[in-house]
Amino acid sequence: MDFEKFFTESLDGLKEEGRYRVFADLERHKGNFPKATRHKPDGTVTDVTVWCSNDYLGMGQNPKVSDAMKEAIDRAGTGAGGTRNISGTTHYHVLLEKELADLHNKESALLFTSGYVSNWAALGTLGAQIPNMIIFSDASNHASMIEGVRHSRAQKVIWKHNDVKDLEEKLAAADPDAPKLIAFESVYSMDGDIAPIKEICDVADKYGAMTYLDEVHAVGLYGPRGGGIAEREGLMDRIDVIEGTLGKAYGVMGGYITASEALCDFVRSFASGFIFTTAIPPAIAAGAAASIQHLKMSSFERKQQQERVARLRARLDARGIPHMMNDSHIVPVMVGDAAKCKMISDMLLDDYGIYVQPINYPTVPRKTERLRFTPTPLHSDADIENLVSALHDLWSQCALSRAVA
């Protein structure tokens, strides 16, 4: 086989469909987010405004976070030194896990290197180690959850997205003696819709199922202390496992689960994705703890973000730019064509200094291609006006349909 030819032809196919991913070489400006410098392949640089960051609250720029990280480096050095069981557990990791358990009102927490790994390892371990487990997975679950379920080799049942009736029908049809786990998200990152958590918990109680909730796009952002949608709705005690990330609203990196002491210890003891992975650096753990502590006490960032989201939506409506309505902070502007979505993204970056990545298949279904905007507390009125004006121009140039008021 001509491997190089196969690789090239496969990549050419992505390019022809408009699905080939190009990474922008950006250098964020400390203290001036969402501004950044774009380094072009020809060596020139331009200024851009970032509109697609998952640093939802700008905590990656917060002095409390950076100061905590610097102090940790000065005290403990850089790397963790190994896996958690081979010299990699530092006092910073222990303190962060206590903060996370407290955040979600759970007995314990367990850190991972990313949110992807925490889902893959936790779901994979629970599904593989609990005999005859059946995992009921929402149809729109993230790839990390899908991979965790697949890795577990447990029996898998897919239920229609956010459809509690369909979930109950599938639970009722399953072996009543088999252990069951319902895996779902609170905020779904592409459409921005929110799961009916209470109703799912009611069904879980009826059939004796464990609940596993991914809150990666909600932690820090919702609830009086940033505990997520489950905290906002007073439901944390009804969720067996709450999974989250440190790489979005908290502005650093890493993932985690929170649950009972026994469940966390079980995953710690059996998950290869935890056992054989080097721990996150102490400075990262220190920065995450500082970010969580701050957002437990401060609602300012959350309120500012919500106001920015509302303003962007209102300005899009005023110009007839179609965006998917939801109750979250995610603003998907619908294009519906992969090639045009990529073209608009390129034009926004090259001609208007606006950076937003096109979201195409397989991240979203074909014909639902979109630009996914994530306003932060640090986007100004001028930033919003510049974005909406640019979209208004490009919608006309590309002959795209307008939303009807």
Side-chain angles (χ1 to χ4, degrees), residues 118-372:
S118 58
N119 270 332
W120 175 79
L123 284 169
T125 300
L126 293 169
Q129 295 293 328
I130 299 175
N132 304 314
M133 171 68 88
I134 304 174
I135 299 178
F136 296 79
S137 181
D138 185 286
S140 293
N141 275 345
H142 188 262
S144 59
M145 302 176 79
I146 294 170
E147 286 299 320
V149 175
R150 181 181 296 147
H151 176 68
S152 76
R153 298 186 179 180
Q155 182 180 341
K156 173 182 65 178
V157 177
I158 307 298
W159 49 286
K160 296 177 184 177
H161 176 53
N162 279 349
D163 188 331
V164 179
K165 181 180 178 182
D166 185 60
L167 171 61
E168 178 161 15
E169 289 175 355
K170 287 179 165 57
L171 283 163
D175 180 355
D177 295 325
K180 302 170 182 66
L181 182 150
I182 301 170
F184 62 108
E185 301 180 40
S186 58
V187 176
Y188 288 84
S189 63
M190 290 300 116
D191 288 353
D193 54 335
I194 296 175
I197 299 176
K198 179 184 180 300
E199 290 77 7
I200 292 171
C201 288
D202 290 343
V203 172
D205 290 346
K206 182 176 178 180
Y207 292 89
M210 181 186 299
T211 47
Y212 183 106
L213 177 63
D214 177 319
E215 289 253 42
V216 298
H217 292 277
V219 290
L221 299 167
Y222 300 94
R225 300 197 309 157
I229 299 295
E231 183 194 29
R232 185 187 73 178
E233 298 181 3
L235 297 168
M236 288 195 298
D237 62 313
R238 300 189 64 187
I239 303 294
D240 294 296
V241 184
I242 295 178
E243 183 268 348
T245 185
L246 306 169
K248 293 181 171 62
Y250 292 122
V252 285
M253 68 169 291
Y256 64 88
I257 62 169
T258 62
S260 69
E261 185 175 350
L263 190 150
C264 288
D265 197 16
F266 180 85
V267 173
R268 182 187 71 89
S269 300
F270 288 98
S272 63
F274 176 84
I275 295 169
F276 299 105
T277 299
T278 298
I280 62 173
I284 297 293
S291 185
I292 293 165
Q293 289 166 1
H294 174 78
L295 290 174
K296 281 179 178 177
M297 302 297 295
S298 173
S299 295
F300 174 78
E301 292 82 2
R302 288 188 279 275
K303 291 177 181 177
Q304 282 291 104
Q305 188 211 33
Q306 291 162 11
E307 187 277 331
R308 297 287 83 189
V309 170
R311 182 174 181 85
L312 175 59
R313 288 188 182 278
R315 297 303 300 139
L316 291 171
D317 287 340
R319 292 297 189 102
I321 305 299
H323 58 99
M324 185 178 290
M325 294 304 299
N326 58 54
D327 294 323
S328 76
H329 58 284
I330 294 166
V331 184
V333 168
M334 308 307 292
V335 178
D337 179 278
K340 285 187 177 181
C341 195
K342 177 68 167 60
M343 179 175 66
I344 292 172
S345 172
D346 290 343
M347 294 173 74
L348 284 170
L349 184 58
D350 292 334
D351 301 336
Y352 296 90
I354 292 169
Y355 174 59
V356 59
Q357 277 284 24
I359 307 296
N360 295 327
Y361 178 83
T363 306
V364 296
R366 297 181 193 275
K367 304 302 180 184
T368 70
E369 292 84 4
R370 68 201 61 181
L371 303 171
R372 175 183 177 273

